[in-house]
Structures are given as C-alpha cells and as structure tokens.
C-alpha cells in the first residue's frame, strides 16, 4: 500500500466472486480492434417492444406498443424487434396487427423472438403468417455453463442437439419466407470453442449466404467484465466464424457494470455490424445498452447516426409515456440538465464560446448550424437535438458573473460592463446564499432594478458610466462613483441614452 493511499479494507465479502478470466477462457492474444476507428453507424435494432417490454412492471398495452412502434419507424429504424409472440396474447396480437394492417412500411424488417422449443416456435411462425414485410425469426438458448447445468440440466452435447433441433424446426416451418437469427444467450460467459461450434453449425444448417445472411447475435446478457474483454471475444468470433461473409455479426450488451455503451462501441471496433438495444436504455436489471446514446456519440464524432434525433424532447415524451418510466435529468443527450452549466467558470467559457461561434459564422457568411462546432463544455450543439440555448446557463450559488451576464443578455438584451458584472455578481451571490435556490432571468432583472435603479440617491465622484439598451426599448444607464465609504454603482433609466444618463448622474448628486 502506498503511503499516500490510506484506504482500508471494506467489510464486503469480495472474496466470494471470481473475475472473468477464472470463469471463461478469453483466447485472443493478438488483437486488432484497439487500432480501429468507428467510421459508420451499425444497423440499429431497437428491442424496446420485446426485451424492454419484458422489463416493465406494467407491460405496454396495445395502444402504447403501437405508439412506440410508430415513433421508431418515424425516427428511421429499419429493423425492429416487435415482440415475443409465444409469451403473451398481447404480443401475438400486436404481430398480427402489423401483418394485417400495413402498419410497417415495406422497407422495415420485423423481428420476432422465440426460445428453442418446438411448440413456441410453431406459435411464433404462426404469428408472422402473411406478413408483407421482411421477417427475421430470432431463436435463442442459454449456453453458458451455469445456465446449462443449473437451469437447463444439460451437458454441451445435449444442449447442442436441442438447439440444432430447434433450428431445423424453424427452417421446416418458416422455410424461405424468413431470415434467421441465433443468440447464444450469455455468450460472454460461454466457452469460446463451444459457442463458435454452435454458431458455425447454425450458419451451415440455415445455409447462410451473402444474399441471405444469418444474424449471429452475441449477447453480454449479464455484464461481467471490462469492455476490452467483450471486444476480444467479439474479435475472436469475427475472425474464426465459418461463412463470415454470410454472417451479420450482432451484439446485445446489458449494463450490469454500467459499461454497456463502452462494450458496444468496442464491439463495433472488433467487427460487430449490428447492435440491439433500447432507446434510452430500458431493460431488465440495469437495462439494455442505450442505442440513443450510442447513436449520438457517433453524431458527436462527425458520423451520421442514420437515425433522426432532431426533436429529442418529443422522443423522450413518447418513450416516457409508453414505458411509464422517467428519463433521468442527467441522462446523456436527452436529460433536462445535460446541456446546463451552473458553475461560474464553465458558464463563462460557454458564453464566450457561443459568442465566438456566432461571430465566426457571421464572418464566414454561413449559417450557424453549418459551422464547425467547438463550444467549450458542449459536446454537441443543443440545436441539433431541437433544444434552445435558454437552459444552457442557469444561475445558482455556484455561478459567477458570466452566467448572470448571459441570462440578462439573452433575456433582456442588457450587456453590463465588466466592472458592473463583478459588482452585481456579489449581490446575486448573497441572494442565492440566502435563498439556497436557483435564480431565473426574471429574478435577476428584478434584483438589478432593486440594487441599482431603485436604490436611494448617493453623494460621490463619478468614475465611469455606461448605457445599456434593453429589448423592451427602455435604455438603462449606470454610473460608478467613489464616496467616502467606498465605491459603488447606481443607475437610471429613460427613453434615450441621454435621458437615462442624466437620471443616473442626477442620482449621484
């Protein structure tokens, strides 16, 4: 233990747990993914209507499922997992609604989910009968040792036989009408040689070809390791799968360790081409990977996410309505406070950055929305997401003169001189320390009037004066004075600069 680190052992029984390397081989020793770069969006597959729905205390009713589905279509998703039709009548009926009403545009692929059991496969295939859209039947089975032994009570050979029989059932019942997807659930804790054998067997069984590729979906069903381990596992599969040019390699990370986003991004570097997840990350336990954050992370790197988030507040309202779950105020990109600065130093940097952005756009003669974005503390332009700049800077007891000046400028058109900003900031600090609350632009305006415009007259020597027009047409004038008890500021108002200045000077005596 270093002398500077005085932490002590906790009473938590950490010895009960084994790290991932003691639980599953991670065979990759030479890796390419660290040198790769993200260059394009993957195929996004929202699973909110199936996986996300299973995680809700109150599963979505048909009206909510339909509203959510229509939102995803409008946003631009082209492959959507719509349900688990063998699990409930509601899911079955929703799949039938799509099949019978033309609810989905013809270029949207419908995915339905089924366990590896014949009667449930039959029900699933029945649900998509007559579907005018492309269809994917998604077959899954848990393959990791603990699941095999404790849950299913089968050894490796017995489980493989069950999965192959289920794959044959899907092929026999659905035939050429559908494409196929296989998920070895808990892939990230399954022996690499076993899961590779299973996946290659399924691509051969389903005769994967470049014209009719098979989706192999490799879930981190329970997140158990750092994201680099998942990337190693994905790269190993990508490099060793049979018929690789006939496989769409997909990932489905969960977020048990809080690193689902990083797992998905590193998996893309390692060869994944498709990502399943939920918009804003709903899902069992800590949730599925958040495909909205993933997409907007690409946007922030100059890569088109291929999904439209230009009205993110409307998207959030719809998701909250359908799931009955609130989106946290600090949730990346969509939360109410994600573009908001209260800290004085951050506010000053943002204010200056926004002013520089406007000036640079004017000098170049291009719209602000077209100019390279480089404003401090704001990774993306809030306007890209349909947000305004009104909530970017908010003032509380942690704020400084920059935030105060920004709110007065944007709310009332008042540009205070720097020395007056410093003086007024002290009054605002006392106010916020006393109330313990955030102060709005309207409250700042009222405090400005109280401190300078409605204050009693003084007697002193004039040092500096400045005038400030307002958005209401009224002109304010401020005078800095020196008096026997120190310096201060006092103000006046009028219809013109001369009238306002005369009033302010008169109040100095």
């Amino acid at each position: 233990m270093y002398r500077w680190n005085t932490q002590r052992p906790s009473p938590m029984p950490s010895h009960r747990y084994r790290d991932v390397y003691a639980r599953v081989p991670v065979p990759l020793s030479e890796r390419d993914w660290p040198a790769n770069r993200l260059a394009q969006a993957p195929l996004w597959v929202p699973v909110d209507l199936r996986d996300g729905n299973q995680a809700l205390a109150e599963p979505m009713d048909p009206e909510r499922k339909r509203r959510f589905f229509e939102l995803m279509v409008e946003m631009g998703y082209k492959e959507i997992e719509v349900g688990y039709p063998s699990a409930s009548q509601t899911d079955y009926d929703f799949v039938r609604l799509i099949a019978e009403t033309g609810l989905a545009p013809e270029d949207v692929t419908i995915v339905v989910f089924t366990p590896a059991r014949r009667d449930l496969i039959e029900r699933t295939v029945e649900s998509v009968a007559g579907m005018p859209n492309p269809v994917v039947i998604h077959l899954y089975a848990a393959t990791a040792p603990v699941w095999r032994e404790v849950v299913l009570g089968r050894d490796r050979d017995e489980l493989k036989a069950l999965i192959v029989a289920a794959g044959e059932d899907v092929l026999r019942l659905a035939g050429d009408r559908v494409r196929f997807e296989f998920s070895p659930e808990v892939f990230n804790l399954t022996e690499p040689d076993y899961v590779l054998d299973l996946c290659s067997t399924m691509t051969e069984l389903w005769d994967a070809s470049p014209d009719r590729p098979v989706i192999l979906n490799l879930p981190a069903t329970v997140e158990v390791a750092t994201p680099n381990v998942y990337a190693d596992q994905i790269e190993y599969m990508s490099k060793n799968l049979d018929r690789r040019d006939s496989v769409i390699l997909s990932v489905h990370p969960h977020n048990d360790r809080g690193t689902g986003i990083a797992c998905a991004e590193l998996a893309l570097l390692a060869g994944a081409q498709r990502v399943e997840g939920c918009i804003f990350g709903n899902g069992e336990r800590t949730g599925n990977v958040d495909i909205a954050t993933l997409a907007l992370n690409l946007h922030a790197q100059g890569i088109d996410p291929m999904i439209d988030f230009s009205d993110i507040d409307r998207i959030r309202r719809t998701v909250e309505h359908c799931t009955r779950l609130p989106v946290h105020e600090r949730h990346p990109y969509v939360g109410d406070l994600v573009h908001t600065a209260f800290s004085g130093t951050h506010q000053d940097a943002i204010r200056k950055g926004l002013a520089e952005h406007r000036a640079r756009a004017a000098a170049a003669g291009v719209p602000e929305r077209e100019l390279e974005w480089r404003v401090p503390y704001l990774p993306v332009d809030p306007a890209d997401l349909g947000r305004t700049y009104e909530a970017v800077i908010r003032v509380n007891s942690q704020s400084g003169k920059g935030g105060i000046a920004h709110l007065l400028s944007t709310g009332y058109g008042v540009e205070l001189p720097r020395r007056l900003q410093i003086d007024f900031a002290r009054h605002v600090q006392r106010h916020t320390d006393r109330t313990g609350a955030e102060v709005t632009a309207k409250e700042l305006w009222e405090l400005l009037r109280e401190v300078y415009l409605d204050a009693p007259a003084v007697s002193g020597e004039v040092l500096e004066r400045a005038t400030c027009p307002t958005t209401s047409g009224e002109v304010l004038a401020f005078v800095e004075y020196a008096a026997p008890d120190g310096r201060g500021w006092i103000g006046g108002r009028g219809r013109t600069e001369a009238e306002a200045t005369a009033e302010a000077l008169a109040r100095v005596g």
Side-chain angles (χ1 to χ4, degrees):
M1 180 68 71
Y2 293 105
R3 294 176 65 182
W4 48 262
N5 185 347
T6 58
Q7 295 175 154
R8 297 182 179 185
S10 79
M12 299 177 66
S14 301
H15 63 275
R16 299 177 60 210
Y17 303 95
R18 295 183 298 158
D19 70 17
V20 68
Y21 298 98
R23 300 174 70 182
V24 63
V26 182
L28 199 64
S29 57
E30 295 183 7
R31 50 190 61 83
D32 295 327
W33 64 260
N36 294 337
R37 294 186 180 184
L38 297 177
Q40 63 182 23
L43 175 62
W44 304 111
V45 183
V47 297
D48 298 81
L49 300 179
R50 193 275 301 174
D51 198 334
N53 194 41
Q54 291 173 243
L56 298 175
E58 298 179 57
M60 286 178 264
D61 55 37
E63 182 276 329
R64 282 178 162 80
K65 288 199 80 164
R66 178 169 186 158
R67 185 169 174 182
F68 207 150
F69 180 79
E70 290 173 337
L71 171 71
M72 290 189 285
V73 170
E74 182 184 343
M75 292 171 67
Y77 290 106
K78 296 301 181 183
E79 190 167 313
I80 302 171
E81 191 168 88
V82 299
Y84 193 157
S86 64
S88 74
Q89 190 64 42
T90 299
D91 271 26
Y92 182 92
D93 290 345
F94 185 69
V95 177
R96 294 309 305 155
L97 176 71
I98 297 172
E100 295 169 0
T101 64
L103 185 61
E106 61 182 16
D107 63 342
V108 172
T109 296
I110 301 301
V111 184
V112 287
F113 186 77
T114 181
R117 211 176 86 188
R118 179 172 297 174
D119 58 327
L120 302 182
I121 292 169
E122 290 172 345
R123 179 73 166 163
T124 302
V125 173
E126 179 185 289
S127 74
V128 296
M131 180 75 71
N133 297 76
V135 173
V136 170
I137 292 184
H138 182 178
L139 177 72
Y140 85 96
T143 57
V146 171
W147 278 255
R148 289 196 312 258
E149 297 159 9
V150 176
V151 181
L152 301 175
R154 296 175 185 265
D155 63 23
R156 285 173 50 147
D157 291 340
E158 289 170 334
L159 181 59
K160 180 179 178 180
L162 180 150
I163 291 170
V164 170
E168 291 171 343
D169 287 338
V170 173
L171 183 63
R172 175 177 54 83
L173 293 166
D176 294 336
R177 293 188 296 130
V178 305
R179 288 174 42 228
F180 307 110
E181 176 178 355
F182 172 58
S183 283
E185 191 181 4
V186 209
F187 154 79
N188 57 323
L189 280 174
T190 302
E191 306 94 328
D193 65 316
Y194 183 56
V195 76
L196 185 64
D197 176 58
L198 285 175
C199 288
S200 294
T201 298
M202 298 306 285
T203 56
E204 181 179 357
L205 172 65
W206 287 334
D207 193 22
S209 67
D211 294 332
R212 195 184 180 198
V214 165
I215 301 164
L216 294 176
N217 184 54
L218 307 178
T221 309
V222 180
E223 195 181 26
V224 295
T226 50
N228 61 295
V229 173
Y230 191 51
D232 283 351
Q233 293 171 320
I234 297 300
E235 184 169 325
Y236 172 80
M237 293 295 290
S238 182
K239 286 180 173 179
N240 291 281
L241 279 170
D242 292 343
R243 305 192 187 202
R244 182 63 184 89
D245 63 345
S246 302
V247 167
I248 300 170
L249 194 58
S250 175
V251 292
H252 183 126
H254 277 251
N255 198 43
D256 299 88
R257 302 178 77 253
T259 55
I261 295 288
C263 278
E265 291 180 328
L266 267 57
L268 291 173
L269 294 175
Q273 301 152 294
R274 178 181 182 271
V275 178
E276 295 183 356
C278 287
I279 302 171
F280 307 140
N282 174 42
E284 199 171 310
R285 305 182 311 278
T286 55
N288 292 286
V289 70
D290 178 351
I291 57 174
T293 298
L294 279 169
L296 290 169
N297 283 352
L298 291 180
H299 173 69
Q301 294 294 308
I303 300 169
D304 184 353
M306 309 299 283
I307 302 295
D308 183 5
F309 287 95
S310 60
D311 191 353
I312 201 165
D313 288 325
R314 185 175 68 86
I315 294 169
R316 182 190 64 189
R317 288 193 299 269
T318 301
V319 172
E320 288 179 327
H321 167 78
C322 293
T323 63
R324 299 180 176 92
L325 292 174
V327 173
H328 195 278
E329 290 182 329
R330 300 289 184 189
H331 193 108
Y333 298 107
V334 67
D336 283 336
L337 295 177
V338 297
H339 299 126
T340 301
F342 290 101
S343 163
T345 54
H346 294 188
Q347 290 175 339
D348 187 56
I350 291 170
R351 184 173 66 92
K352 291 174 179 173
L354 289 172
E356 189 272 344
H357 184 78
R358 287 191 295 269
R360 193 157 40 93
V366 300
E368 291 181 27
R369 290 291 305 277
E370 298 298 323
L371 197 67
E372 178 192 355
W373 182 255
R374 58 185 197 191
V375 174
Y377 296 109
L378 297 179
V380 298
D381 185 346
D384 291 351
L385 308 178
R387 294 274 178 86
T388 68
Y389 300 115
E390 293 177 2
V392 168
I393 291 176
R394 289 163 59 176
V395 172
N396 64 10
S397 61
Q398 304 300 306
S399 307
K401 67 182 188 318
I404 295 165
H406 177 82
L407 289 190
L408 288 175
S409 175
T410 56
Y412 295 92
V414 174
E415 301 287 348
L416 300 180
R418 176 177 171 78
R419 290 170 61 80
L420 180 54
Q421 289 178 27
I422 296 170
D423 186 79
F424 186 46
R426 289 195 290 266
H427 292 280
V428 175
Q429 183 74 53
R430 285 195 290 270
H431 173 82
T432 53
D433 283 342
R434 185 175 67 252
T435 64
E438 180 183 349
V439 59
T440 66
K442 183 174 184 295
E443 290 169 328
L444 286 175
W445 173 250
E446 291 171 351
L447 186 62
L448 182 78
R449 293 175 58 180
E450 175 188 328
V451 170
Y452 301 113
L453 303 176
D454 298 334
V458 296
S459 178
E461 177 187 353
V462 173
L463 300 176
E464 181 182 340
R465 55 186 175 177
T467 56
C468 305
T470 68
T471 52
S472 67
E474 184 180 47
V475 177
L476 307 183
F478 297 95
V479 171
E480 185 182 20
Y481 62 88
D485 57 349
R487 295 186 176 192
W489 288 83
I490 199 164
R493 71 194 88 183
R495 291 168 297 177
T496 64
E497 289 188 11
E499 189 175 305
T501 301
E503 180 179 306
L505 290 171
R507 298 183 66 220
V508 178

